[in-house]
Amino acid sequence: MTQPFTAIATLIAKPGQQDLLEQGLRALVEPSRAEDGCSQYDLHRDLADPQVFYVIEHWASEAILEAHNASAHFQHFQATAGHAIEHFQLKRLGAIA
């Protein structure tokens, strides 16, 4: 995918691990927003279920997202908080209107 797209990441924390996951996700926000090709990187928590987090991201291309996934800050997140994730899903969306 070489065109810009929005991605919505859904992360569900393992029981009792939501604070660790939130801390790791919060640490991703600023360095991710500073990456070339990232125009949005917003972290949300589900108001009905505090174990569920959403990251709404906008990337210039799939290659840019792949570079993000290989970045030092994302790799650090994986190493320090990745084990707190029970479920992960990433949806890629293309704007139509």
Side-chain angles (χ1 to χ4, degrees), residues 1 7 11 22 26 39 43 64 71 79 95:
M1 190 179 308
L11 301 97
E22 179 180 351
R26 283 179 176 271
S39 58
L43 175 61
I64 298 287
S71 69

Side-chain angles (χ1 to χ4, degrees), residues 20-70:
L20 175 62
L21 183 56
E22 179 180 351
Q23 180 182 17
L25 290 169
R26 283 179 176 271
L28 282 176
V29 174
E30 289 308 316
S32 297
R33 287 178 178 167
E35 291 179 56
D36 287 337
C38 178
S39 58
Q40 180 181 7
Y41 200 92
D42 297 327
L43 175 61
H44 299 268
R45 188 175 212 161
D46 193 308
L47 294 175
D49 187 348
Q51 288 184 235
V52 180
F53 298 88
Y54 301 95
V55 184
I56 301 171
E57 313 166 27
H58 189 79
W59 299 99
S61 69
E62 185 67 31
I64 298 287
L65 176 58
E66 289 173 14
H68 163 73
N69 291 339

